[in-house]
Amino acid sequence: MWSVLWAAVRSKAPYVTFPVAFVVGLVGYHLEWFLRGDPPPTAQEEKSISEQREDRKLQEIAGKDLTNVVSLKDKLEFAPRAVLNRNRPEKS
C-alpha cells in the first residue's frame, strides 16, 4: 500500500509543488518590497555613460563661438610629426 501511495505522490508532485512555490515566492517578493521601501530607479530612467558624456560636452561648448576657427594656412601643426623631424620643413 505504501508503494502505491508513494507512486501517486511522486507522479502528482509537480502539480502540488508549483502552486506552493508560487505562493511562497509571491509572499517573499511583497515582504521584501515592504521591508526595503521604494525600489531603486530602473535602468531606463538613468542616463547611460555615453549620454552623460554628450551632455557634458554640450555644456562645455555652450558658451563658445564655434565659427571662430584657425585657418589651416595659419596653423603649422596640421601635419603629423615625422620620425625625428627629418622630413619636416623648419618653421620660419
Side-chain angles (χ1 to χ4, degrees):
M1 181 66 188
W2 283 107
S3 61
V4 173
L5 182 65
W6 283 115
V9 168
R10 204 175 317 134
S11 66
K12 304 295 182 192
Y15 301 110
V16 174
T17 56
F18 178 73
V20 171
F22 183 78
V23 169
V24 168
L26 193 65
V27 168
Y29 173 79
H30 287 292
L31 181 66
E32 182 178 354
W33 178 80
F34 178 73
L35 292 176
R36 287 191 178 189
D38 291 333
T42 61
Q44 295 173 351
E45 294 174 3
E46 295 178 2
K47 287 186 176 182
S48 67
I49 294 175
S50 61
E51 289 175 345
Q52 291 175 359
R53 183 181 303 125
E54 289 174 1
D55 290 343
R56 180 181 44 82
K57 287 181 179 180
L58 286 174
Q59 289 174 355
E60 287 176 359
I61 65 171
K64 294 181 182 178
D65 183 17
L66 300 178
T67 59
N68 188 11
V69 294
V70 178
S71 170
L72 287 178
K73 291 179 183 178
D74 298 336
K75 189 174 180 182
L76 295 176
E77 298 292 329
F78 70 93
R81 295 183 62 141
V83 177
L84 299 176
N85 292 329
R86 288 184 191 172
N87 300 328
R88 190 167 184 213
E90 294 296 321
K91 295 180 186 177
S92 52

